[in-house]
Amino acid sequence: MTLLVWAGVLLIGGIGSVTRFLVDREVTRRAGRPFPLGTLTVNITGAALLGFLGGLALSKDAALLTGTAFVGAYTTFSTWMLETQRLGEERRKWAAATNLVVSVVLGLAAALLGQWIAGRI
């Protein structure tokens, strides 16, 4: 792997994490609810994008830059788990369970949809 590719990973990963922050913040602001809709939106759109990228015939470096660097920095498993745990701590068990189930079901559906769309191109 070249130095240029590593620099691309740093730059594109940074863009992905800033994009996550902006999308999460905007969705949360608009929703105005205590449910973590911002993180859900980020992870579902990230799953769709990763499914789409996985369905394309990308080179190794392009897959690294788009899938690992951007989507990996854009999506957030740890925040999803922390928010779910906090919902449980707040005794909002149904919200915590909903966050888990909806995230997994919609995430899988989004990844499959993204892959399906890529297969049609």
Side-chain angles (χ1 to χ4, degrees), residues 22-59:
L22 295 173
V23 170
D24 185 2
R25 184 177 68 173
E26 187 61 22
V27 170
T28 299
R29 184 186 68 77
R30 288 179 184 235
R33 296 181 180 179
F35 191 81
L37 288 173
T39 300
L40 179 65
T41 300
V42 162
N43 286 340
I44 300 309
T45 56
L49 180 56
L50 193 57
F52 177 77
L53 294 169
L56 299 176
L58 298 176
S59 70

Side-chain angles (χ1 to χ4, degrees), residues 31-106:
R33 296 181 180 179
F35 191 81
L37 288 173
T39 300
L40 179 65
T41 300
V42 162
N43 286 340
I44 300 309
T45 56
L49 180 56
L50 193 57
F52 177 77
L53 294 169
L56 299 176
L58 298 176
S59 70
K60 180 181 162 190
D61 287 344
L64 174 70
L65 292 170
T66 58
T68 303
F70 181 81
V71 179
Y74 174 68
T75 57
T76 175
F77 180 82
S78 57
T79 301
W80 170 49
M81 288 294 99
L82 179 62
E83 289 172 343
T84 302
Q85 185 266 335
R86 285 187 178 156
L87 289 169
E89 278 183 352
E90 295 168 357
R91 301 198 190 287
R92 299 180 60 213
K93 305 287 187 210
W94 283 108
T98 298
N99 195 34
L100 287 171
V101 171
V102 168
S103 293
V104 170
V105 170
L106 289 182

